[in-house]
Amino acid sequence: MSLRSQIIGCGAYLPRRVIPNDELAKTVDTTDEWIVQRTGISQRHVAADGELTSDLAFAAARDALRASGVQPESVDLLVLATTTPDHTFPATATKVQARLGMTGGAAFDVQAVCAGFIFALATADSFIKTGQAKTALVIGAETFSRLLNWKDRGTCVLFGDGAGAVVLRAHVGGGAAGRGVLSTHLHTDGRAYNMLYVDGGPSSTGTTGHVRMDGQGVFRHAVAKLASVVDEALAANSLNPGDVDWLVPHQANQRIIDGMARKLALGPEKVVSTVSRHANTSAASIPLALAEASGDGRLKPGQIVLMEAIGGGLAWGACLARW
Ligand code: UT7
């Protein structure tokens, strides 16, 4: 019998401060109407001064441990997806490890921007499947507000801060009807490096820098590449779009989410969307959506959950799981 990673608990944390579109429209040339029509975003959460990515990650991880009834000492792997680490090094994951009271195992960061959670989940799933870890915490946490040029209306309206986490536990007995991660599928195409990037960094400018994006370019790639990786995930599991109970997509733009739902012929009642309230929280968006939909009872044991994401790199991926 093969090993499989089961998602046994979810957690979330959103900073207290909420910035509605109207408030942004006071400082940059935009309107609530434009932002809602083009993106579906109405507001975003923004971390307080001095509130760091590790603080957000810690709060979400603690919530996920509580939900799963797992003690921190029994976690033997922590993978933190983030683009906004507290410091250039060491890995922010190690700070979270210490705060949680997780004394053994390994903790490290994974960097795949908006696709970060899928990459971190795939990493932890591989460790579990190969017997290198039994209980893993996978966290997506971002203080993306720190990377924004608040005078650039093309980017500053799109992003928000937050963190989400899941606990994975190894269990024996996969099989077609078994619960847990069924498969993960990762891709990158570095030829599009400059389509969405931050114009700073320790090795280039020595500054943190700001987000730069060719929005239309990313949009075009998003629709095509997400459709392709979703096909790949379904085919790998001999499933059809009609078998998907829930689409839990990366939350960048409601128009991209609607496009994927249309492709899968899924009604809005089968799509978890948080983008209007959270905006794009990068690596945190999928685990935040999972925490919300599992917390309110939408995700039920045995259901097929499809996750997909794309972001800077370009990096994109998908995961199919039986909840
Ligand atoms: O997480 C993965 C990373 N990111 C994404 O997935 C983002 C993918 N791209 C998108 O979501 C969309 O391309 C955007 C939301 C970024 C932009 O929407 P769009 O429909 O592609 O708009 P656009 O870039 O074609 O801009 C249309 C117009 C432009 O004005 P002109 O040239 O037509 O006069 C922009 O200058 O809208 C203008 N504009 C704005 N107007 C008001 C751009 N940003 C704003 C704004 N408020 N915030």
Side-chain angles (χ1 to χ4, degrees), residues 29-31 34-35 38-39 114 153-154 157-159 196 213 215-216 218-219 222 250 252-253 255-256 280 310-311:
D29 182 16
T30 190
T31 60
W34 190 96
I35 303 171
R38 303 284 178 133
T39 70
C114 293
R153 67 177 185 174
V157 304
L158 303 176
F159 295 93
L196 172 52
M213 179 168 72
Q216 284 190 4
V218 176
F219 196 102
H250 170 51
N253 187 322
R255 285 154 57 205
I256 299 175
N280 181 349
I310 184 164

Side-chain angles (χ1 to χ4, degrees), residues 225-296:
K225 289 185 161 51
L226 291 175
S228 156
V229 76
V230 162
D231 284 344
E232 182 187 329
L234 290 170
N237 295 283
S238 304
L239 292 173
N240 297 308
D243 297 317
V244 174
D245 293 297
W246 289 103
L247 173 63
V248 186
H250 170 51
Q251 314 278 326
N253 187 322
Q254 189 62 45
R255 285 154 57 205
I256 299 175
I257 297 173
D258 291 344
M260 289 308 297
R262 265 197 308 279
K263 183 199 147 38
L264 294 162
L266 290 177
E269 72 286 353
K270 290 192 164 190
V271 180
V272 179
S273 178
T274 57
V275 69
S276 68
R277 288 168 286 120
H278 300 171
N280 181 349
T281 56
S282 184
S285 86
I286 291 178
L288 273 169
L290 287 175
E292 190 169 292
S294 73
D296 64 21

